[in-house]
Amino acid sequence: SRSNERTPPPPVVHYHMNNLTTSNDPIANRETVLILTPLARFYQEYWDNLLRLSYPHELISLGFILPKTKEGNIATAALQAQVAKTQSGPQKKRFASVTILRQDTESPLQTQTEAERHKMENQKARRAAMAKARNSLLFTTMGPTTSWVLWMDSDIIETPTSLIQDLAAHNKPIVAPNCFQRYYNTETKSQDVRPYDYNNWVDSPTAQDLGAKMGNDDILLEGYAEMPTYRSLMAMMYDKSAAPNMEVQLDGVGGATLLVKAEVHRDGAMFPPFAFYHLIETEGFAKMASRLGWKAWGLPNYLVYHYNE
Amino acid sequence: SRSNERTPPPPVVHYHMNNLTTSNDPIANRETVLILTPLARFYQEYWDNLLRLSYPHELISLGFILPKTKEGNIATAALQAQVAKTQSGPQKKRFASVTILRQDTESPLQTQTEAERHKMENQKARRAAMAKARNSLLFTTMGPTTSWVLWMDSDIIETPTSLIQDLAAHNKPIVAPNCFQRYYNTETKSQDVRPYDYNNWVDSPTAQDLGAKMGNDDILLEGYAEMPTYRSLMAMMYDKSAAPNMEVQLDGVGGATLLVKAEVHRDGAMFPPFAFYHLIETEGFAKMASRLGWKAWGLPNYLVYHYNE
Ligand SMILES: Nc1nc2c(ncn2[C@@H]2O[C@H](COP(=O)(O)OP(=O)(O)O)[C@@H](O)[C@H]2O)c(=O)[nH]1
Ligand SMILES: Nc1nc2c(ncn2[C@@H]2O[C@H](COP(=O)(O)OP(=O)(O)O)[C@@H](O)[C@H]2O)c(=O)[nH]1
Ligand SMILES: [Mn+2]
Ligand SMILES: [Mn+2]
């Protein structure tokens, strides 16, 4: 007889994917958000900003992937200390769950200064490695109850506290705020802001022509004088006197801060680590999503801020 | 003070992806296997075959995705009954966990007879829908501790009991057995076997030329007289007197039974629901994996059997 066996039967879970909503009122609908961060350097300001997010933390899960480098070890220790503190601190601040992954692939570049990582010849290998890290994180942490995925780089140190609600209110498959940087303007002798992320763009005939003449495995890059694409960059569309909820449809997106309906990823949209229509990583993701029928949108006047090295 | 709060801090999990192995001796290394099945019709023989697998069931998790159709409702009920029975039955037979998903996208074809679903004009929409179902299942069920993913169609009703060990012993990124079908041979008046799955193939110059002349969104299909590709089909390579562990490198694979190292999927290899190098779904997956540096292999003399309608 089996009645005296000790272990209870393992869990069976049954999910109706179409009962999962992604709506413009995610809190009312108790929609879960998975915040995913590839993390090579830990910034306390990033963590503090995360803690200030007003979206109910019990609906937020966090996922991190860190490289297997010396720098990654240092960042892991710093991250773990903050996670431990938060998850044993005030109930309201705790997140539903936290997953920390260490990459199994080596980072191609050990030097990570802004100047070095932005060099054009370093970009393809670097962005392919970043794409694989993002895919690993995504494939491993997304669950059947995830409604939204918020991609957030570890050097995004300031956002509105209502970031998730604000972005979700647009109810778009993919939506990107404008990623800026604070700096000291030596001309005006005052604190100022300037564009940081050039990966949010509307395509151009010039870029299409450049692509058509390239080899199959070649990629187009944005923000390099050597390769002018004449794409319309969201970074350049910022108008501080205009409405923050203004929307523009995008053909390429960055991953610094990006809200994605989980169903977009579930259909198969990932970050191509190879040239996909001459695009790679987050820009290739936008193209792949569009091939799956999902459009990307940007908010030129809604700012988030990147750390200034 | 926080000490009198009742709820314990939520789980923090920390995974070293490079401590996860995928080896030719997966049982000794306690490697976990995720068996994934898109399921439109439930066959008792499929379930019985699964139960007979000799790989330790406590290392196996199961994931299913079923369509939101009348047929899918019937299959869900049948599957749930068997899952409940197994998971409350003998300890040794129970699986580590079972996830059952219902698709949120409608199936494009309600008729599912073999003749109808194999019609060429129906194939692109049908295989795109299958690709999305596979991606949903994969993205939602793969976890940080998954070492291997075994794709297994619901109409695969007979395999060797050592299937997982046998396939893993090849220690390949992707490995496909040969999918055959038992039938009654009216000529010889005896039970016989014949090829069933034509999606495992080695590419040909003819297919490449056909692809080069096609529109960007057009796909090549295998097994249609209207479109001879002259690819080398693994289905035709079966030699019952030859070694069952013979390997052949493949450019396209089917999903009827397919063992994949989880890291291949983690890097981003999914099932393209769109034309990818003129390939779609499982065949597109092999191409995508190859673009990520992972090769696919087939075992022409190692047979699994498809249901015969
Ligand atoms: N897991 C992982 N994360 C990385 C790696 N390199 C950078 N990152 C993180 O990925 C995000 C984007 O990288 P970053 O260097 O800031 O890119 P940039 O600001 O666009 O030049 C940041 O959150 C980094 O901390 C890496 O090799 N592995
Ligand atoms: N989730 C889901 N599974 C499906 C659907 N159509 C077929 N399947 C399953 O997908 C697998 C492959 O489909 P099948 O019709 O057997 O393909 P064929 O044998 O290659 O013609 C089988 O396990 C089916 O039960 C569908 O619309 N949704
Ligand atoms: Mn950055
Ligand atoms: Mn079948």
Side-chain angles (χ1 to χ4, degrees):
Chain A
S1 149
R2 312 248 67 84
S3 57
N4 54 3
E5 284 188 318
R6 282 154 307 169
T7 320
V12 185
V13 276
H14 188 180
Y15 300 101
H16 286 256
M17 307 295 284
N18 54 351
N19 294 348
L20 257 193
T21 61
T22 45
S23 68
N24 62 358
D25 192 0
I27 297 180
N29 291 312
R30 305 278 308 158
E31 292 167 8
T32 57
V33 181
L34 175 63
I35 301 184
L36 296 182
T37 301
L39 194 156
R41 281 192 193 167
F42 180 82
Y43 295 96
Q44 189 58 43
E45 298 91 327
Y46 156 86
W47 190 257
D48 294 342
N49 183 69
L50 217 59
L51 287 184
R52 279 193 299 266
L53 291 180
S54 58
Y55 200 83
H57 288 202
E58 80 260 21
L59 295 176
I60 299 177
S61 287
L62 306 179
F64 300 91
I65 188 160
L66 298 95
K68 267 281 171 197
T69 55
K70 209 179 138 194
E71 197 187 30
N73 294 344
I74 296 168
T76 302
L79 171 66
Q80 284 187 299
Q82 291 306 314
V83 167
K85 195 172 155 198
T86 298
Q87 297 301 80
S88 60
Q91 194 66 42
K92 255 194 66 153
K93 290 287 181 194
R94 298 183 196 174
F95 297 102
S97 71
V98 183
T99 306
I100 301 172
L101 307 179
R102 296 303 295 275
Q103 233 164 290
D104 49 3
T105 45
E106 281 306 309
S107 301
L109 293 175
Q110 299 298 327
T111 42
Q112 292 275 346
T113 66
E114 187 178 320
E116 189 63 25
R117 69 178 190 259
H118 287 180
K119 271 189 196 156
M120 199 157 177
E121 67 268 35
N122 289 340
Q123 279 286 306
K124 195 173 159 187
R126 182 173 170 274
R127 296 202 57 194
M130 282 304 307
K132 287 187 188 177
R134 289 188 195 277
N135 289 336
S136 271
L137 183 55
L138 176 66
F139 279 60
T140 302
T141 58
M142 197 164 76
T145 62
T146 311
S147 282
W148 301 88
V149 177
L150 176 65
W151 291 94
M152 178 95 101
D153 279 354
S154 71
D155 42 17
I156 299 302
I157 53 168
E158 184 190 338
T159 72
T161 57
S162 52
L163 176 73
I164 295 172
Q165 299 92 311
D166 295 346
L167 297 182
H170 291 268
N171 202 12
K172 297 293 187 195
I174 302 170
V175 62
N178 214 352
C179 179
F180 269 53
Q181 189 172 49
R182 296 194 186 278
Y183 76 111
Y184 183 75
N185 187 328
T186 49
E187 274 177 38
T188 64
K189 296 210 170 16
S190 65
Q191 282 296 319
D192 203 348
V193 300
R194 64 185 173 203
Y196 181 82
D197 189 348
Y198 294 125
N199 290 338
N200 295 299
W201 43 256
V202 185
D203 211 357
S204 71
T206 306
Q208 286 294 311
D209 289 350
L210 279 171
K213 287 184 207 115
M214 282 178 154
N216 255 333
D217 290 349
D218 291 338
I219 57 166
L220 288 161
L221 292 167
E222 196 44 66
Y224 292 85
E226 312 92 290
M227 191 199 271
T229 63
Y230 300 100
R231 289 168 178 156
S232 306
L233 305 183
M234 182 163 79
M236 300 312 174
M237 296 177 196
Y238 173 56
D239 176 355
K240 77 172 167 208
S241 60
N245 64 353
M246 199 186 101
E247 298 170 348
V248 50
Q249 201 179 307
L250 299 175
D251 299 302
V253 299
T257 304
L258 190 70
L259 187 70
V260 181
K261 290 194 178 191
E263 59 202 303
V264 175
H265 285 311
R266 279 201 189 93
D267 272 357
M270 49 77 174
F271 301 93
F274 44 74
F276 183 71
Y277 291 78
H278 306 293
L279 300 173
I280 199 165
E281 207 216 354
T282 57
E283 295 164 292
F285 162 71
K287 180 68 186 174
M288 196 173 281
S290 126
R291 294 253 14 211
L292 292 165
W294 302 106
K295 295 286 167 232
W297 297 80
L299 309 178
N301 305 322
Y302 189 97
L303 301 188
V304 300
Y305 296 96
H306 189 276
Y307 187 79
N308 186 346
E309 295 181 14
Chain B
S1 147
R2 310 250 65 88
S3 57
N4 54 2
E5 283 188 319
R6 282 154 306 171
T7 321
V12 185
V13 275
H14 189 178
Y15 300 101
H16 286 255
M17 308 294 286
N18 54 350
N19 294 349
L20 258 192
T21 61
T22 44
S23 68
N24 62 357
D25 193 358
I27 297 181
N29 291 311
R30 305 278 306 160
E31 292 166 8
T32 58
V33 181
L34 176 62
I35 301 185
L36 295 182
T37 300
L39 194 155
R41 281 193 191 167
F42 182 82
Y43 295 96
Q44 189 58 42
E45 299 92 327
Y46 156 86
W47 189 258
D48 294 342
N49 183 69
L50 218 58
L51 287 184
R52 281 192 298 266
L53 291 179
S54 59
Y55 200 83
H57 287 203
E58 80 261 20
L59 296 175
I60 298 179
S61 287
L62 306 179
F64 300 92
I65 188 163
L66 299 95
K68 266 280 172 197
T69 56
K70 209 179 137 192
E71 197 187 31
N73 294 344
I74 297 168
T76 302
L79 172 65
Q80 283 187 300
Q82 292 305 315
V83 167
K85 194 173 158 194
T86 299
Q87 297 301 81
S88 60
Q91 195 66 44
K92 256 194 66 154
K93 291 286 181 193
R94 298 184 197 175
F95 297 102
S97 71
V98 182
T99 306
I100 302 173
L101 307 178
R102 297 302 294 276
Q103 234 164 289
D104 50 2
T105 46
E106 283 304 311
S107 302
L109 293 175
Q110 299 298 327
T111 43
Q112 292 275 346
T113 66
E114 187 177 321
E116 188 62 25
R117 66 177 193 259
H118 286 179
K119 271 189 196 154
M120 200 159 176
E121 68 268 33
N122 290 339
Q123 279 287 304
K124 194 172 160 189
R126 184 174 168 272
R127 296 200 59 194
M130 283 304 306
K132 287 188 187 178
R134 289 189 195 276
N135 289 336
S136 270
L137 183 56
L138 176 66
F139 279 60
T140 301
T141 57
M142 197 164 75
T145 62
T146 311
S147 282
W148 301 88
V149 177
L150 177 64
W151 291 94
M152 178 95 101
D153 278 355
S154 70
D155 44 17
I156 298 302
I157 52 168
E158 184 189 338
T159 71
T161 58
S162 53
L163 176 73
I164 296 172
Q165 300 92 310
D166 294 346
L167 297 182
H170 291 268
N171 202 11
K172 298 291 187 198
I174 303 170
V175 63
N178 214 352
C179 178
F180 269 53
Q181 188 171 50
R182 296 195 186 277
Y183 75 111
Y184 182 75
N185 188 327
T186 50
E187 275 176 40
T188 64
K189 297 208 169 21
S190 64
Q191 282 297 319
D192 203 348
V193 300
R194 65 184 172 203
Y196 180 83
D197 190 349
Y198 294 127
N199 291 338
N200 295 297
W201 43 256
V202 185
D203 210 358
S204 71
T206 305
Q208 286 293 312
D209 289 350
L210 279 173
K213 286 184 207 116
M214 279 178 157
N216 253 333
D217 290 348
D218 292 337
I219 57 167
L220 289 161
L221 291 167
E222 195 46 65
Y224 292 84
E226 311 92 289
M227 192 200 269
T229 63
Y230 301 100
R231 288 167 177 157
S232 305
L233 305 184
M234 181 162 82
M236 301 310 172
M237 297 177 194
Y238 173 57
D239 176 355
K240 75 172 170 207
S241 61
N245 64 353
M246 198 187 101
E247 298 169 349
V248 50
Q249 201 179 307
L250 298 175
D251 299 303
V253 299
T257 304
L258 190 70
L259 187 69
V260 181
K261 291 194 177 190
E263 58 202 302
V264 176
H265 285 311
R266 279 203 188 90
D267 272 357
M270 49 77 178
F271 300 93
F274 43 75
F276 183 73
Y277 291 79
H278 306 293
L279 301 172
I280 199 164
E281 206 216 354
T282 56
E283 295 164 292
F285 161 72
K287 180 68 187 176
M288 196 174 280
S290 125
R291 292 254 14 210
L292 292 166
W294 302 106
K295 295 286 166 231
W297 296 81
L299 309 178
N301 306 321
Y302 189 97
L303 300 188
V304 300
Y305 296 96
H306 189 276
Y307 186 80
N308 187 346
E309 296 182 12

